């Protein structure tokens, strides 16, 4: 991608959603291996319990993940070439989406320091 931050001008909800999808794509529990084009299909989205949910060793606040249930967010990310929607209505993160620098992972993926 370009050298400047947020070259595709994602809004905060789109950027948070993409950051979460990138993390889901890294987790074999949630995602398939990459296809021939480098896209990774997310098999399922985590369910919140209380005010949070888990992705691997990270905890995510539900309020940071509202875009995962928002079709308009997926539509915007698809128009920008960052995701494609699968037949089951689940997203596949494209190679461009995997490489996109959201800069938000450290802010929304909370990991234990021990």
């Amino acid at each position: 991608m370009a050298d400047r931050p947020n070259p595709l001008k994602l809004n905060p909800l789109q950027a948070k959603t993409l950051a979460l999808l990138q993390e889901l794509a890294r987790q074999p529990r949630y995602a398939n291996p990459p296809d021939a084009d480098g896209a990774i299909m997310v098999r399922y989205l985590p369910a919140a319990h209380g005010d949070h949910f888990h992705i691997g060793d990270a905890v995510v606040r539900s309020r940071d993940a509202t875009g995962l249930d928002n079709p308009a967010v997926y539509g915007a990310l698809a128009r920008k070439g960052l995701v494609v929607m699968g037949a089951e209505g689940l997203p596949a993160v494209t190679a461009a989406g995997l490489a996109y620098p959201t800069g938000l992972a450290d802010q929304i993926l909370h990991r234990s320091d021990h």
Side-chain angles (χ1 to χ4, degrees), residues 25 31-41 81-84 92-99:
N32 292 337
D35 66 15
D37 295 324
I40 298 178
M41 176 64 69
L82 303 172
V83 301
V84 293
V93 187
T94 65
L98 292 167

Side-chain angles (χ1 to χ4, degrees), residues 16-40:
K16 283 182 182 181
T17 302
L18 181 59
L20 293 173
L21 291 173
Q22 289 169 336
E23 186 65 19
L24 287 167
R26 290 184 193 99
Q27 303 291 324
R29 177 178 175 196
Y30 292 102
N32 292 337
D35 66 15
D37 295 324
I40 298 178

Side-chain angles (χ1 to χ4, degrees), residues 23-111:
E23 186 65 19
L24 287 167
R26 290 184 193 99
Q27 303 291 324
R29 177 178 175 196
Y30 292 102
N32 292 337
D35 66 15
D37 295 324
I40 298 178
M41 176 64 69
V42 175
R43 287 193 311 266
Y44 72 94
L45 299 174
H49 46 276
D51 62 350
H52 70 281
F53 62 91
H54 302 268
I55 301 175
D57 66 346
V59 175
V60 179
R61 292 184 184 115
S62 296
R63 69 177 184 219
D64 289 329
T66 58
L68 291 176
D69 294 324
N70 188 328
V73 171
Y74 290 117
L77 294 174
R79 284 190 302 278
K80 295 175 188 233
L82 303 172
V83 301
V84 293
M85 297 307 291
E88 300 85 29
L90 291 169
V93 187
T94 65
L98 292 167
Y100 193 87
T102 66
L104 295 175
D106 290 340
Q107 296 172 31
I108 62 174
L109 297 166
H110 306 282
R111 301 182 197 286

